[in-house]
Every structure is written in structure tokens, then in C-alpha cells.
Amino acid sequence: MTSYALFLGCTIPARQPHYELSARKAMAKLGVELVDLEGVTCCAPPPVQSIDLETSLIVAAYNICLAEEADLNIVTLCTGCFESLAVANNILKENVMLRTRVNGVLSCLGKEFKGKKEVRHYLQVLLNDVGLNYLRRSVVKPLKSLRVAAFSGCHLLRPSKLLRFDDPERPRIFDTLIEALGAESVWYRNKLKCCGGLLRGYADDVALAIARDKIVNAAHAGADCIATLCPFCFLTLDLGQVLIKSTYKEEYDMPIIHYTELLSLSLGIDPKELALEFHKVKIDKVLDKIGLNLP
Amino acid sequence: MAAQERTSSDFTVEIKQTLGGESITRCYQCGTCASSCPVAKMTDRYNPREVIRLALLGQRENVLGSDTIWLCASCYQCQERCPQEVEIADVIYALRNIAIREGKVPKIYAEFAATLTRDGRLVSMSKFLEKKRIEYGLPPLKPTGVEAIRKILSATGFDKLPISGMKGEST
Amino acid sequence: MEAAKVGVFIADCGGQISKVLDIEAITNFVKNIDGVAFVARNSEFWRGQGLQIIVEAVKNKKINRVVVAESIPKISELAITKAVEEAGLNPYLVEVLDLKNHCAWPHRDAPLEATEKAKALLLAAIEKAKLLEPIEKAEFPAVKSVLVIGGGIAGMQAAEDLAEMDFQVYLVEREPFLGGLAAMAGHFFPTDDCAVCIQSPDLKTISRTSRKCVYRSGFSEIPNLNILTNSRVVKLEGAPGNYKVTVERKPRYVNEKKCVACDLCASVCPVEVPDEYNAKLKTRKAIYINKPLIYPPVYVIDEEACKFHDCARCVEVCPAKAIELDQKPEKVTLNVGSIIVATGFKEYDPSVIKEYHYGEYPDVITHLELARMLDAFGPTNGVIIKPSDKKPAKRIVFIQCVGSRDRRWNPYCSSICCMISLKHAIMIKSAYPDADVTICYIDMRTAGRGYEKYYERARELGVKFVKGRPSEIVHDPSANTLIVEVEDELLRRLLELEADLVVLATAMVPSEDSKELAGILGLELDEDGFFKEYNAKLRPTETKRRGIFICGGATFPKDVPTTSIHSHSAALKAAKFLLHGRIVKDLKVAFVNEEYCSNCQICPVTCPYGAITLVPKENGHFVARVSALICEGCGICVGTCPVGAIELTHLRQNQIQTQIRALLSINGTSNPLILAISCSECGHTAVDSSGMSMMRYPANVRVLKVPCAGMVQVQHILEALKAGAQGVMIVGCKPDGCHYEVGSGKAQKKVEMAKMLLKAYGIEPERLEMFHLIYVEGDRFAEAARIMTENLKKLGPLRL
């Protein structure tokens, strides 16, 4: 059985149990073991990088060390965690000078970054470990006629030189995995552009304007929902619609759904087990369309 | 932007020597970053090309003192498309790092620093969520490596940065 | 051999020498050296009466070696050797040294020490002279014929020049028609005329006053010019002046002598394919001609496209019986003395820059595609359309620097794209004044006579210029419109420019088979894949391979005026090389002592000119052999050979050893002796200029000249230390400016290695240093000599 160290990060366990539940349940169903590690910390995402880039590299390296010690590759759900850890992992594997500096600090914790493990995103595990064919065969409730606006979030793709996830200008992996569930991945303008989430708390007006643009474009393309992978994108677009309503007096009613939720639903997992009440914008429209009405 | 400052190349050197800022002098001001930028599209308070331009002209105070550098959404779209491979998003990190060292810390970042030092995480668990987790049968969270992260923050000098409200103690 | 009788001639340079040095003492010292048969003194020896003294001494057979202390570097040496040769002595039995610039002037504050150094310099020259051996001339046959590869505007002009100078010329073109990229371009800047227009050849029978289309110029009728289209070079054998080149000719399937170009064949041909010549905006048949202004004016069958050889409808219909489907590929061997590479450049495929969606959005095109549209003979007869729906394009946006000045793809500026955009913008605005034309640029570059006027004219016509490189082209499917996202930097405002057509000014990159051709010809490519010249400043159309020349866009993207200059230059160089039908060369070359050669195969790789090959000996062994014709005599192989099997005819090992010992045999100063081994190029001229510009450095520094720093062996360094040097300086060119390409860089590596070796012997590695200097850095040589002296003083005496 394939095993991964599950790196949940800070936001998902503390704010978005629907993401964690769907992710865990789907992987269990698809035969991948997810191991929770003791002693993990914050991944040191952009807010920490903004304060001190070198510290953030060391914190990321520390977490990778834990996986190295457990002899497991890391899988992340949050694309922010994916970026922090994968960038650190790949930089430190290549840059000997930086690795020496980082290990100098880690040695006071009795740790050493060895560069022997990989940091993967959930989608990569689906694509490479589970496999598209097995995934397609496991779908019991195909999401037929569902038009999904895929939004992977910036940090799954960029910086592409260090993440090496997919073609940064023509990504296909996320769309392929959406289509594997029987849904349609629709093109919409500025699909690859940011949701503005990282400006929340500093420039809320700008962040909201960017989020609104995203939702307008998806709605314009006739999407039934926006599929996300990142808890920040989810928050920005889901809670964002409440704010858009109060600020712009506009209502889009665009469901924001984590990909793992769509996956779980298509694998036949009972919607009641998925804590769907954590959606601000209700997703009943989507459930209706795929024939899964909440009782 | 504030008034014209005397230009100096010292600032460029300082940025190049800061982690993330190494590639700044490759910039030839083509503007690809600006038209790639989702933030610049929404507000004229931010323009990545202009930040780099001012930095290369040595306008230290204008760059570090304004709120411009805090308006980057770190989406890396500009960096991806830059024909000179200027690592723009990383240059912005370098500029923010320099600003922080001088005590120019936006409130939200002071909060981030404080939470990180206190909890080893950026988002704290609530009683409500703890209850919900049990209700839905999610496994209890494994303990966070708070002590480990504090040692790291102390070794790198992170905890000595001039950020108000950052304390090492647990609450 | 006759015993050496050395004549020594000491010039006083109008009293400049005797003002510092004790010239009497020096003369007496020289007189007593073994083998010195004649000593003379004069104010100067390199011309007039002074030179006559040398000539007399040689003629009267008093002497058979000549040592001259002169003070005009290089020129005096050339004048003296020429006179000596005319007097009947081999010119390589002459040794010239410089007592003024290497001794009297730099050490003018220490006359006693300088006098002792002068003695050492003279002793070294005399001892070396005694060991000098005559060097003969060799003559190699040269065929007066030239192969020109590439039938574009560069190749055609070079071919024309040479054919008219009575060389046999073979012009080999890969495509079925001549003209190259230029023929596709429609119009040209800066003359605003047809691309296919060339100068009529300078024949008595044809007027040269006009320029005509390729096919009407008479180009193909130039005597001595043989045009091979549909052909490519596949093999090169032989040596400069006498190459055997194998050319593979693809069958044309149409007899060039019979075809009357009536077009009946194409009209019945059932196969239709995209027309490359028309940038795929149109189709053509499998049997076709690039109409209408092209050479040869005959049809060709596109083998790939014509999959129905059985159909043969063209054969049936041809009134001239010109179609021959049984033609086979053939190989032709050409015997040529010289080769000119003129393979040009091509447009970069911009589809890799995904944010511009080329190849995905039909209305995003390149300049070449636009040029075809603007051509009245082109696929749209001069009308600019949106390829997606064939409607006229009214709003046109140009994007500059697409794949150029871009570290991700091609870091260089392609140099001609700004002008191409201006030319096209002007053409569009002139024909369609209501068209909305915008050029998005990073920097407009219009360097060239009359070029700025294009910029001005474009503004006058209302072309809009936006300073800013677009980040993305978006397609709006509802309106079938393109949206160009760009920052107008001057306004600091983000714009969304709506466009019917976006034209990408793509980078210009090397022709696709450059790499293969470079391999066949043994030529080097630069980091961008263009053919590399011998020297960018002074020998731009020569290559490291003697007899092979390059020109035009094959070396870098060029406009037509520059290409013309370049191709005439290459033609002139080829003509100069073959002019006399033979190549005469002094045998100042490397040679291999085959007994010692251990077949390690290092030297063939080391030689920057490819002069060394391995030749088979009995029982499967190989030995290195130097081509005297190709060898430049730099001695880098000597410096590299691990067993000392290679020597130079003009600087034998025993000559080096005897000079080292002589130079270090007399100190006369309290300073530690230093041997400076300098290359004869930048290194030695820096020493010269140091003296000439009156720099001061101590007299303990003694200079030994070798052809290239790459010749220095670790052995030489150790011998110097054994002979009394306390330190060794190696003085060479800048590594990227080495006159023998790689010598200085190799010397640097060797010095680093030798330092480790010295350390292992318990000798301070600081006793050895390398310096890279150019002529004007005489002050830096003097400074290096002073610092080296100070450092050695601090180290104290060398303990071996």
C-alpha cells in the first residue's frame, strides 16, 4: 500500500473540516495510506517568507526532515503548503551553500536536511499513484453535465522552475482530473490568475476586487461551480461572495467546492459525512445537478 | 510615491545581497510584470515594474516606506513571464525582509509573527472546531512542534526582529 | 652543420642605451662569449647604414647567426630578417632583443643593475642563436575554386564576386529555389524595393547599370558559376586549398533543361499541401514553382507531398517531356580550394512563448507571414486579412522582442526586428490610412543610415507606439477579437488593446542545419548557435579553419546592407587565399617525435585549429601527426603533451632551456630573480609598452618570449626555479582574447595545477603567478613585477 505523510498545514484542520474529511475519505477509498506526523509546524508560507525568507526555508526544511525520518514522501492538500515545502525541498537539494547554512541551524534541533524525499500535491498522488484509469473505474457517481471552473491557485503552478508541477501557461493535470470524474472543465478568462487571497488582512478592498473578477469570469463562462485546491482560495472566493454582496451589492451564488469534495461525491461517499455545512455559498445547486440531493 | 530621493546604487547592492533579491539588476523595464499583475489590474497603488525601477534608482525610503511592497499577492505570474528571469516575487520578499529589519512592519504581519512564535502555526484551533472534528470522526491533531520552531526562530534571529507584540511565551 | 659563428649588433638608439647602460662593459662581455665571431655597434641597425653592416657581415661569411639588440619592437625584426634573407642567410637564424624597452628605460634609476641584466639578455639571445636551425618554406597546391553554401542573398553575392574574379564557383542551395529568406520578405529596408532584386553581374554582355530580379539579373548565366539547388553538403575531406566536398543532390524529378514552366503539370496535380514559401497562408501542389520571380524558373516535385508516383498525371500532360519520375538522388564530389558558409538565419518559432498563443490563435502571426500577405504576389495579393475568418484586418498590433532579449529563449537582440516592424507598419499605413497600427516595444533600435527616418515616418503616418512588452494575448471568442494586455509604461497605465491581427516580431535564429554543417566542416558555433568568426573585431568573416569563411546571417541576424558588406568581405578573403593557386608557408610549426608519442589522443583535442590527427602505424598503434599547412605554430600542443613528444621548429626545447639558464645566470641586483614567461602576443607587447611608456620595475625581472602562454610546461617552471629564479610570472593574453583561442585559458589552468604541485614539493605556491594583460596595460605589467618582487622578498630565499 502506498503511504504518504499527510501535511495538513494550519488552516485546513482549524477551519475547513470539509476539505480534510473529503481528502482523507477519498484516499482511503482509493487505497492510499495517509500518515499524520508528530511535531509538524507551520509550513512557513508567504506571510512568514515576507518577514524572513531564510527562516521560512529553515522551518520548511525542518518539516521535511520529519518526513525523511519517517521515510515517507510528503503529500499536501493546501497549495500554499505545497509551494513552501516543494520550493524549499528543491532549492535545498540544488543549492549546496544554502543547504549548509540551513543545516547549520537545524543541527541545534538534532536534524539534518538530506534531500531524500519528495513533496507532492494530492493531485500528483491521484495522477501517479492511483492512476487515471483506476480513478475513472472507481467513479460510481459520474459528475455528468457538471461544468466546473478549475482554479488550482497560484502556488500549485508557480514558481514553475522550482515546483515542476505542470506547464505554468497551459496546465492540464487539474483539468484532466476533473474530467476523470465525468465533469467538464470549462475555460474562463484569467483562469490562471490569482484570487488575491494573500492580500486579505492587508488590503481587503484590493483582495475583494480580484476575487470578484475571478467569480465574474467563471460565471460568464457558464460554470456551475469553481473547484479549488487551496484553503485560502476557498475562503477568498466563498466567504468573499458574502463580502461582495455587502460591498458591491452583487450576488453571484457561485458554489466554491474543493476538488476532494467533488472526488468524494463521485466515489459514492455519502454527502452527509462531508461537513458540507462549512460552505458559505450553498452547494445544493451542484448536488442537484449531479443527482445527490441533501436530505 | 513620495518626493524624489537622491539616487544611489548602495540600495541595489543591499538588495542583491539579500536572499531573493539577487536577480534585480537584470531588469530592463519592459513592463511584462505590470501587465501580468492581478493587483496592478485592480489598483494603481501597486506596479511591480515601478517598485523595481525605484529600487534600482536607489530610492530606498520611497520603496521601503510606502505600502507598495506589501501589495504583492505573491502569485508569481510576473516572475513566470519575465524575459530577463528577474525573480520579481522573491525580490519583493527581499524588500519586505529589509523593511521588517528596520521595524517597518504592517500590523497583520506583526500578528502573523506573534501567532507563529506562540503556536508554531498561523491559524489557531477553536473549541468549536475541536468539537466538530470529533463529531465527524476526524483523528485528533498530533502535537505541533512549538519548541522546535522557537529554537529555529531564535537561531535565525527572527525572534529579535523589531516586531511589536512578538513574544516567545505560550498563552 | 657548420659551427655557429654569431654576429652581435648592439644599437645605442641615439644614446638612449649608453645613457643608462655601460655599453663598453657589455660589448666586452659579449666579445668573450664562446661562439661570438663579430660584434658591431651603431646608433641603429634596422635600416640604412646600420642594416648594411649586418648585410655585409653576413655576405662576407664572417657570421652565420645574427643577434641584434634593437629598440623598435616587431618592425625592426621584420626589416632585419628580410635583409638577412636577401643576403643569403636563412631568416630564422636571426634573434632580435630589445635593450631599450626591456632594460635601459624601465631600469633607468639603477644603471649598474640594468647593465648586468643587459648582459644576461644578450647572453640568452646568443646562446639561443647558437641553437637556431634554418626553417624552410613549403608550398601547397590550391585549387582556384570555391564552394559557397547557401543560395540566399549572402551566398549569391559572394558567388557572383568570386565567379567574376575567374574562380570556379559552386553555389549549393538546400531548397529547390534560390533566394533564401530574403526572397520571402517581399520588400526591403532601407531601399524600399523588392527583396528578389539583386545587382546585375558585371559582365560585358549584360548591362551593370541596373538591379534586377534574381531571375532577370543574369545571375545564373555568369561563367564559372555552377548552381546546385536541392542539394546539401554531407562530407568534407582534404586540406585547405584542396578540399574534396561531397554534395548530395535530391532529385528534382523535373529536367531543368526541358521544363518550360507552362504550369500544366500543377493544374492536374491532385496533391495540395500548405505552401511554406507563402508561410502556409496558401496551398500549393506537389509539383510547383515559387512563382514568379525565382531561379531556377522550372518546376520541382515535392517528394514528401507526392505520394502517388503511380498517378503520373503530370508526366502525361507535360508538353516538354520534362518530368522524369525515375530520377535518383546523386552524390557529387567537388574539388575546391576554399569554402564560404552563407546559410543564413530563420524566424524563431514563437509557439514556445505560450502566453502569446502563436499556433493556437490563427490571427497571431509572425513578420514573415505578414510579409507574404503584404507581397502583391503573395497568398492574399497584398491584402491584410485575419487568417481565422479571412476578413480584412483593421486593427493590427506588433509585439517586439518575441523570443529575443529573453533569457528563457534567445538572450540576444535580433537586431533587425525593429526595422522590420517599422517597414511593415509604414507599408500598412500607406496602403490603408484608416488602419489602426500599434507597435509595442521595449526599446526601439534604429541604428543605421536612414533608419531613424523610418521611425519618424511611422509616427507621421499615425502609427502608435506603446512602450511596454505585452504579458499576454487573450482571445475573445464572442467577438473573434484578440486582446493584447500591455502596460503603457510612459502613462503607467494598463491597456487592453483590441486587435484583429497581432504580429510577433520574433527572434532570428540560426538555420536548422547549422549544427550539422558545423560538424561536417569542423567549425565552431557561438553560444547562440551562430557560426563563430575568428575574431569579431578584425577577422569577422574568417574562421579558425584556414580556407573556410562565413558571412551573412549565418553569423548573426543582419539586415541586407550589412549582409552585402559581409559577403563581399568573405569573397575577398577567399580570393586572397587562393589567388596564387598555391599556399606558401614558413614551416614555423609543431612536429611530433613519433618514437615518444604514446597515442594518448590529447593533442588532437587540444589543438584549436584541428591541425593534429592520429595516423595509424603498424600493429594497431596510432601516432599524432601535425598538418604543417594548418598548424599556426602556437605550441599549445607542446604545452599539453604529457610525454614531451611535440616540439616547435621555431622554438626547440633546448633553446628554451638555454635561455632560462642564461637569463638567470647573472643577477646584479639584491632582489630575488624572477623569470617572466610571456606570450609573444598581448603578453610581450604589454612588456614592450611598459618600457616604451617609461614605467619603472626592478631589473631582477627577466622576460622569456614564447609564442603562446599555452605552450608553457610545468617543466619550464621547475627549471627556472632550479636555475636560480625565486619566482615565475606567466604573462598571457586575456583568456577570452587569446590570439590562439584557448592558450591563455589553458595556461591559467596549468598554473593552478603547478601551484598545487609546488605546494606538494614544499615550495610556496605564491612563487608562481599568472597575469592576463593587453598591450595598453604596460603599467599593470610594471606593477605586477614590483608586487611579485616585494612578495618574494617577504617569502625569503627559495629552499629546494
Side-chain angles (χ1 to χ4, degrees), chain B residues 51-98:
Chain B
V51 174
I52 305 243
R53 173 85 178 140
L54 288 166
L56 287 172
L57 287 174
Q59 304 264 307
R60 198 172 194 286
E61 281 315 303
N62 277 347
V63 172
L64 300 180
S66 83
D67 78 335
T68 297
I69 53 172
W70 302 100
L71 279 164
C72 167
S74 306
C75 79
Y76 284 93
Q77 186 68 267
C78 53
Q79 186 154 327
E80 209 58 65
R81 288 178 177 167
C82 175
Q84 285 300 306
E85 297 181 314
V86 177
E87 294 167 343
I88 303 156
D90 296 334
V91 169
I92 300 283
Y93 283 142
L95 293 171
R96 287 178 180 179
N97 288 185
I98 294 171

XYZ file of all heavy atoms in Angstrom, chain B residues 51-98:
380
model
N 8.200 49.422 -8.667
C 8.938 49.095 -7.436
C 10.398 48.804 -7.775
O 11.332 49.328 -7.150
C 8.316 47.862 -6.739
C 9.175 47.444 -5.545
C 6.897 48.146 -6.293
N 10.602 47.980 -8.820
C 11.967 47.617 -9.206
C 12.724 48.846 -9.712
O 13.893 49.052 -9.398
C 11.921 46.524 -10.294
C 11.095 45.355 -9.766
C 13.323 46.134 -10.745
C 11.761 44.074 -9.590
N 12.034 49.647 -10.483
C 12.650 50.863 -11.022
C 13.160 51.759 -9.885
O 14.301 52.202 -9.882
C 11.603 51.612 -11.859
C 12.024 52.979 -12.343
C 12.807 52.885 -13.615
N 13.177 54.190 -14.124
C 14.350 54.444 -14.651
N 15.251 53.489 -14.746
N 14.633 55.627 -15.122
N 12.284 52.001 -8.915
C 12.668 52.876 -7.799
C 13.812 52.250 -7.009
O 14.754 52.932 -6.595
C 11.467 53.128 -6.885
C 10.392 54.053 -7.474
C 9.108 53.966 -6.675
C 10.899 55.497 -7.523
N 13.743 50.928 -6.840
C 14.813 50.254 -6.097
C 16.142 50.390 -6.838
O 17.176 50.691 -6.243
C 14.464 48.784 -5.903
N 16.093 50.226 -8.171
C 17.332 50.314 -8.951
C 17.862 51.742 -8.980
O 19.059 51.960 -9.172
C 17.100 49.818 -10.381
C 16.934 48.304 -10.522
C 16.506 47.944 -11.951
C 18.220 47.567 -10.173
N 16.987 52.702 -8.788
C 17.440 54.095 -8.723
C 17.913 54.458 -7.310
O 18.280 55.590 -7.057
C 16.315 55.037 -9.148
C 15.999 55.061 -10.647
C 14.782 55.920 -10.921
C 17.194 55.567 -11.450
N 17.858 53.497 -6.410
C 18.344 53.737 -5.065
C 17.387 54.519 -4.190
O 17.787 55.110 -3.184
N 16.114 54.529 -4.543
C 15.117 55.299 -3.778
C 14.678 54.478 -2.561
O 13.555 53.987 -2.493
C 13.923 55.613 -4.669
C 14.305 56.348 -5.940
C 14.149 57.835 -5.802
O 13.102 58.325 -5.420
N 15.216 58.561 -6.075
N 15.584 54.335 -1.632
C 15.412 53.424 -0.508
C 14.163 53.742 0.320
O 13.310 52.895 0.541
C 16.655 53.522 0.383
C 16.822 52.368 1.316
C 18.177 52.450 2.001
N 18.460 51.191 2.639
C 17.884 50.772 3.749
N 16.989 51.521 4.341
N 18.187 49.604 4.257
N 14.060 54.996 0.723
C 12.938 55.366 1.590
C 11.607 55.244 0.858
O 10.625 54.769 1.406
C 13.119 56.803 2.130
C 14.108 56.873 3.295
C 13.872 55.770 4.327
O 12.750 55.681 4.858
O 14.805 54.970 4.580
N 11.607 55.674 -0.402
C 10.381 55.587 -1.189
C 9.898 54.157 -1.323
O 8.707 53.897 -1.376
C 10.600 56.179 -2.582
C 10.451 57.685 -2.582
O 9.948 58.249 -1.605
N 10.889 58.328 -3.639
N 10.848 53.240 -1.427
C 10.469 51.831 -1.616
C 10.047 51.210 -0.284
O 8.975 50.616 -0.174
C 11.631 51.029 -2.242
C 11.309 49.534 -2.250
C 11.891 51.503 -3.661
N 10.897 51.378 0.727
C 10.644 50.673 1.985
C 9.559 51.354 2.817
O 8.875 50.701 3.599
C 11.933 50.581 2.814
C 13.095 49.841 2.154
C 14.310 49.828 3.091
C 12.719 48.418 1.784
N 9.419 52.652 2.628
C 8.496 53.392 3.478
C 7.047 53.362 3.004
O 6.142 53.594 3.790
N 6.825 53.076 1.740
C 5.441 53.102 1.245
C 4.793 51.741 1.456
O 5.453 50.774 1.809
C 5.429 53.439 -0.241
O 5.663 52.275 -0.984
N 3.473 51.681 1.196
C 2.820 50.395 1.411
C 2.902 49.520 0.170
O 2.428 48.398 0.153
C 1.374 50.588 1.882
C 0.429 50.954 0.749
O 0.904 51.513 -0.272
O -0.756 50.665 0.870
N 3.535 50.065 -0.891
C 3.561 49.361 -2.171
C 4.069 47.932 -2.056
O 3.446 47.007 -2.557
C 4.448 50.157 -3.149
O 3.824 51.415 -3.345
C 4.574 49.448 -4.456
N 5.200 47.758 -1.378
C 5.811 46.420 -1.379
C 4.921 45.398 -0.678
O 5.081 44.207 -0.861
C 7.222 46.404 -0.749
C 7.206 47.024 0.640
C 8.221 47.087 -1.660
C 8.524 46.853 1.389
N 3.963 45.869 0.119
C 3.087 44.929 0.830
C 1.862 44.563 0.021
O 1.017 43.795 0.472
C 2.690 45.525 2.189
C 3.915 45.822 3.000
C 4.511 47.027 3.164
C 4.722 44.872 3.699
N 5.659 46.904 3.916
C 5.799 45.577 4.267
C 4.648 43.481 3.898
C 6.798 44.957 5.026
C 5.635 42.863 4.651
C 6.693 43.612 5.195
N 1.780 45.127 -1.210
C 0.596 44.866 -2.030
C 0.796 43.734 -3.035
O -0.099 43.405 -3.796
C 0.172 46.146 -2.752
C -0.636 47.097 -1.866
C -0.680 48.487 -2.476
C -2.046 46.556 -1.650
N 1.992 43.137 -3.040
C 2.227 41.999 -3.923
C 1.464 40.806 -3.364
O 1.522 40.515 -2.176
C 3.717 41.688 -4.006
S 4.094 40.104 -4.769
N 0.733 40.095 -4.233
C -0.043 38.936 -3.789
C 0.765 37.644 -3.868
O 0.222 36.561 -3.669
C -1.314 38.811 -4.615
N 2.048 37.748 -4.182
C 2.946 36.582 -4.272
C 2.415 35.504 -5.211
O 2.562 34.329 -4.954
C 3.172 35.955 -2.894
O 3.607 36.919 -1.995
N 1.798 35.912 -6.322
C 1.209 34.910 -7.220
C 2.213 34.397 -8.237
O 1.957 33.443 -8.937
C -0.019 35.470 -7.919
S 0.357 36.562 -9.312
N 3.352 35.081 -8.354
C 4.456 34.641 -9.205
C 4.161 34.706 -10.702
O 4.926 34.196 -11.500
C 4.907 33.205 -8.855
C 5.735 33.117 -7.600
C 5.154 32.851 -6.376
C 7.116 33.301 -7.650
C 5.915 32.768 -5.220
C 7.890 33.212 -6.514
C 7.271 32.947 -5.284
O 8.043 32.850 -4.145
N 3.038 35.308 -11.095
C 2.743 35.397 -12.525
C 3.811 36.234 -13.233
O 4.271 35.880 -14.308
C 1.347 36.020 -12.714
C 0.858 36.043 -14.139
C 0.568 34.664 -14.687
O 1.428 34.039 -15.303
N -0.617 34.159 -14.446
N 4.237 37.334 -12.611
C 5.239 38.209 -13.216
C 6.569 37.492 -13.368
O 7.228 37.544 -14.397
C 5.422 39.452 -12.352
S 5.778 39.069 -10.619
N 6.941 36.781 -12.326
C 8.221 36.064 -12.301
C 8.253 35.013 -13.403
O 9.255 34.793 -14.052
C 8.376 35.402 -10.929
C 9.711 34.750 -10.706
C 10.027 34.699 -9.216
O 9.652 35.572 -8.460
N 10.706 33.658 -8.801
N 7.102 34.379 -13.606
C 6.988 33.318 -14.603
C 7.249 33.869 -16.003
O 7.841 33.206 -16.840
C 5.570 32.764 -14.503
C 5.398 31.331 -14.876
C 6.252 30.397 -14.062
O 6.081 30.253 -12.841
O 7.128 29.797 -14.684
N 6.779 35.090 -16.255
C 6.831 35.627 -17.611
C 7.982 36.585 -17.854
O 8.198 37.015 -18.988
C 5.514 36.352 -17.908
C 4.376 35.381 -18.080
C 3.084 36.094 -18.315
N 2.017 35.134 -18.552
C 0.733 35.433 -18.544
N 0.352 36.663 -18.302
N -0.177 34.516 -18.775
N 8.723 36.932 -16.849
C 9.775 37.936 -17.011
C 10.822 37.448 -18.009
O 11.438 36.412 -17.816
C 10.466 38.231 -15.679
S 11.862 39.353 -15.894
N 11.043 38.195 -19.104
C 12.009 37.742 -20.097
C 13.454 37.804 -19.610
O 14.332 37.206 -20.211
C 11.779 38.679 -21.279
C 11.131 39.885 -20.707
C 10.353 39.429 -19.508
N 13.688 38.534 -18.556
C 15.052 38.606 -18.033
C 15.211 37.704 -16.808
O 16.242 37.746 -16.128
C 15.408 40.053 -17.684
C 15.693 40.901 -18.917
C 16.846 40.379 -19.736
O 17.941 40.169 -19.229
N 16.622 40.133 -21.020
N 14.228 36.907 -16.541
C 14.253 36.000 -15.398
C 14.579 36.719 -14.085
O 15.317 36.201 -13.249
C 15.231 34.836 -15.637
C 14.809 33.975 -16.807
C 15.722 32.799 -17.077
O 16.950 33.011 -17.085
O 15.220 31.686 -17.262
N 14.024 37.924 -13.956
C 14.119 38.603 -12.667
C 13.119 37.892 -11.753
O 11.965 37.690 -12.129
C 13.750 40.100 -12.783
C 13.791 40.767 -11.411
C 14.683 40.795 -13.745
N 13.566 37.466 -10.608
C 12.674 36.747 -9.707
C 11.912 37.781 -8.879
O 12.216 38.030 -7.714
C 13.495 35.765 -8.867
C 14.077 34.691 -9.768
C 15.147 33.835 -9.136
O 15.703 34.228 -8.096
O 15.423 32.765 -9.694
N 10.924 38.362 -9.547
C 10.285 39.576 -9.027
C 9.625 39.337 -7.666
O 9.826 40.105 -6.724
C 9.265 40.128 -10.041
C 9.967 40.397 -11.371
C 8.628 41.417 -9.513
C 9.069 40.375 -12.569
N 8.846 38.252 -7.576
C 8.158 37.977 -6.308
C 9.181 37.790 -5.184
O 8.962 38.233 -4.050
C 7.277 36.750 -6.442
N 10.298 37.168 -5.508
C 11.336 36.965 -4.497
C 12.054 38.268 -4.156
O 12.471 38.478 -3.020
C 12.347 35.915 -4.983
C 11.690 34.541 -5.157
O 10.684 34.285 -4.475
O 12.171 33.746 -5.974
N 12.193 39.141 -5.173
C 12.776 40.468 -4.908
C 11.871 41.215 -3.922
O 12.343 41.865 -2.994
C 12.942 41.273 -6.222
C 13.291 42.725 -5.912
C 14.009 40.651 -7.104
N 10.545 41.082 -4.113
C 9.613 41.737 -3.193
C 9.799 41.173 -1.772
O 9.804 41.926 -0.781
C 8.147 41.554 -3.665
C 7.943 42.159 -5.052
C 7.172 42.124 -2.637
C 7.835 43.669 -5.117
N 9.979 39.854 -1.660
C 10.261 39.273 -0.338
C 11.512 39.913 0.276
O 11.545 40.255 1.452
C 10.476 37.757 -0.427
C 9.203 36.938 -0.589
C 9.185 35.820 -1.404
C 8.034 37.268 0.100
C 8.034 35.049 -1.559
C 6.885 36.516 -0.049
C 6.879 35.409 -0.871
O 5.745 34.674 -1.018
N 12.543 40.043 -0.566
C 13.785 40.638 -0.073
C 13.531 42.051 0.447
O 14.017 42.435 1.514
C 14.839 40.642 -1.174
N 12.744 42.822 -0.326
C 12.448 44.198 0.083
C 11.649 44.211 1.386
O 11.903 45.019 2.282
C 11.673 44.925 -1.026
C 12.459 45.183 -2.316
C 11.529 45.700 -3.406
C 13.588 46.187 -2.073
N 10.681 43.280 1.511
C 9.898 43.205 2.743
C 10.797 42.817 3.925
O 10.685 43.397 5.004
C 8.788 42.153 2.591
C 7.663 42.598 1.676
C 6.622 41.501 1.527
N 5.546 41.931 0.638
C 4.505 41.163 0.304
N 4.415 39.924 0.760
N 3.570 41.617 -0.498
N 11.697 41.861 3.678
C 12.617 41.438 4.741
C 13.449 42.615 5.233
O 13.659 42.799 6.434
C 13.548 40.316 4.256
C 12.847 38.962 4.072
O 13.489 37.967 3.778
N 11.536 38.922 4.226
N 13.926 43.437 4.273
C 14.743 44.597 4.653
C 13.886 45.592 5.459
O 14.317 46.111 6.497
C 15.345 45.290 3.403
C 16.342 44.345 2.716
C 16.048 46.590 3.788
C 16.824 44.843 1.360
